[in-house]
C-alpha cells in the first residue's frame, strides 16, 4: 500500500509511530513502514487476507519537512482481491 501526500514528510521515528495499518476489528497489523519524500510505503510482514478491509491510519502530529504537523488524522481503507 502506498499513500502519497501533498508535501514531503520527515523520515523520523516519531512520524513512523504515527502510521499504522489495522484490520477490520481495529487490531494493528504487523507491517514495515517506509517514508520516501511525500510517499508512505507500507509492506505487510505476512500476507493480507483477500476481500477483508484494512485501514491505513495516519495520526495527527505527522510532521512534514517544513515542520508543520498534521492537525487532524486521516485514513485510507483498502482490500486485496
Amino acid at each position: 500500500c502506498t499513500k502519497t501526500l501533498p508535501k514531503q514528510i520527515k523520515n523520523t521515528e516519531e512520524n513512523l509511530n504515527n502510521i499504522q495499518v489495522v484490520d477490520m476489528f481495529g487490531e494493528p497489523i504487523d507491517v514495515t513502514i517506509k517514508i520516501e519524500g511525500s510517499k508512505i510505503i507500507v509492506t505487510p510482514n505476512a500476507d493480507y487476507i483477500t476481500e477483508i478491509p484494512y485501514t491505513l491510519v495516519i495520526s495527527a502530529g505527522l510532521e512534514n519537512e517544513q515542520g508543520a504537523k498534521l492537525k487532524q488524522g486521516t485514513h485510507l481503507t483498502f482490500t486485496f482481491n
Side-chain angles (χ1 to χ4, degrees), residues 21-57:
V21 175
V22 297
D23 64 16
M24 63 184 177
F25 303 108
E27 295 296 321
I29 301 297
D30 185 24
V31 295
T32 300
I33 301 168
K34 289 172 39 177
I35 296 173
E36 294 180 358
S38 62
K39 292 182 180 179
I40 298 170
I41 302 166
V42 179
T43 307
N45 293 330
D47 290 337
Y48 286 119
I49 300 171
T50 59
E51 305 294 327
I52 300 293
Y54 294 93
T55 304
L56 172 66
V57 179

Side-chain angles (χ1 to χ4, degrees), residues 5-34:
L5 300 176
K7 297 197 179 209
Q8 301 232 353
I9 307 159
K10 284 186 179 178
N11 189 4
T12 63
E13 190 68 31
E14 183 179 342
N15 270 349
L16 291 171
N17 289 333
N18 282 320
I19 304 165
Q20 68 175 336
V21 175
V22 297
D23 64 16
M24 63 184 177
F25 303 108
E27 295 296 321
I29 301 297
D30 185 24
V31 295
T32 300
I33 301 168
K34 289 172 39 177

